[in-house]
């Protein structure tokens, strides 16, 4: 009985399917089968991502890959309004850790910078708009007060000046 039969595995392209554990090996990383689509996307769009990763420990390699998946999930699938500064800071730190481990993540650093800037710009714009709304509300209030004064003038009885004609 060979290795593949003993562990119920299949080789499909560059992927080793480990059927019992529902794990696959892709580009030297063992990941959950459910994450294969994301891993394929990474390696198709950014093939240089893991070329410099020299980690030999498969558990550590898997942990780093899961960290990468988590960052991508956060940046690509979390609505900007719900993304906190803490999440962005953690993503920045995690990208730095992955880069130190040998991952080439310029593409992800760029996305992170873009999202951080967009969030900051949007938050600043929201503050500006709130100030504008306050000013407009005050203007509306002033105009309503002025309208009421003018309406009150219309309700007053007219004052007629009597003019006497000289004979």
């Amino acid at each position: 009985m060979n290795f593949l039969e003993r562990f119920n595995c299949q080789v499909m392209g560059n992927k080793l399917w480990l059927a019992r554990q529902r794990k696959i090996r892709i580009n030297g990383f063992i990941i959950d089968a459910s994450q294969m689509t994301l891993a394929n996307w990474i390696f198709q769009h950014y093939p240089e991502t893991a070329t410099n990763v020299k980690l030999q420990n498969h558990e550590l390699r898997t942990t780093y890959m899961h960290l990468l998946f988590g960052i991508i999930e956060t940046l690509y699938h979390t609505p900007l309004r719900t993304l906190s500064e803490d999440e962005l800071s953690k993503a920045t730190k995690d990208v730095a850790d992955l880069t130190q481990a040998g991952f080439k993540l310029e593409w992800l650093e760029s996305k992170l910078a873009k999202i951080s800037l967009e969030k900051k710009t949007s938050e600043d714009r929201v503050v500006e708009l709130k100030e504008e709304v306050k000013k407009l509300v005050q203007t509306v209030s002033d105009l309503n007060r002025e309208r009421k004064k003018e309406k009150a003038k219309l309700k007053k009885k007219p004052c007629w000046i009597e003019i006497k004609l000289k004979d």
Side-chain angles (χ1 to χ4, degrees), residues 149-166:
K149 284 180 187 176
E150 292 300 320
K151 198 173 178 182
K153 285 181 186 177
L154 290 174
K155 288 183 180 179
K156 285 184 181 178
K157 291 185 179 177
C159 275
W160 296 102
I161 301 175
E162 286 184 34
I163 302 177
K164 289 188 181 182
L165 296 173
K166 290 188 179 181

Side-chain angles (χ1 to χ4, degrees), residues 29-41:
F29 294 91
I30 298 172
I31 61 169
D32 295 332
S34 63
Q35 297 172 317
M36 184 178 75
T37 302
L38 180 55
N40 281 333
W41 179 84

Side-chain angles (χ1 to χ4, degrees), residues 10-97:
Q10 291 181 345
V11 176
M12 299 178 78
N14 68 344
K15 300 171 187 96
L16 173 65
W17 288 83
L18 305 173
R20 282 187 186 163
Q21 300 169 354
R22 304 202 65 164
K23 304 274 184 184
I24 61 168
R25 172 175 249 154
I26 182 168
N27 289 17
F29 294 91
I30 298 172
I31 61 169
D32 295 332
S34 63
Q35 297 172 317
M36 184 178 75
T37 302
L38 180 55
N40 281 333
W41 179 84
I42 293 168
F43 293 123
Q44 284 174 359
H45 289 87
Y46 306 101
E48 74 284 356
T49 296
T51 56
N52 290 341
V53 176
K54 304 296 183 214
L55 301 169
Q56 298 300 314
N57 182 319
H58 288 291
E59 289 176 7
L60 192 54
R61 290 173 67 87
T62 299
T63 299
Y64 275 112
M65 188 55 76
H66 284 123
L67 186 59
L68 178 59
F69 292 159
I71 296 167
I72 291 170
E73 183 69 30
T74 298
L75 297 183
Y76 284 82
H77 300 290
T78 303
L80 194 57
R81 72 179 184 287
T82 62
L83 199 57
S84 71
E85 286 298 320
D86 289 342
E87 288 173 305
L88 289 172
S89 293
K90 182 181 181 322
T92 300
K93 180 195 165 297
D94 291 346
V95 167
D97 289 345

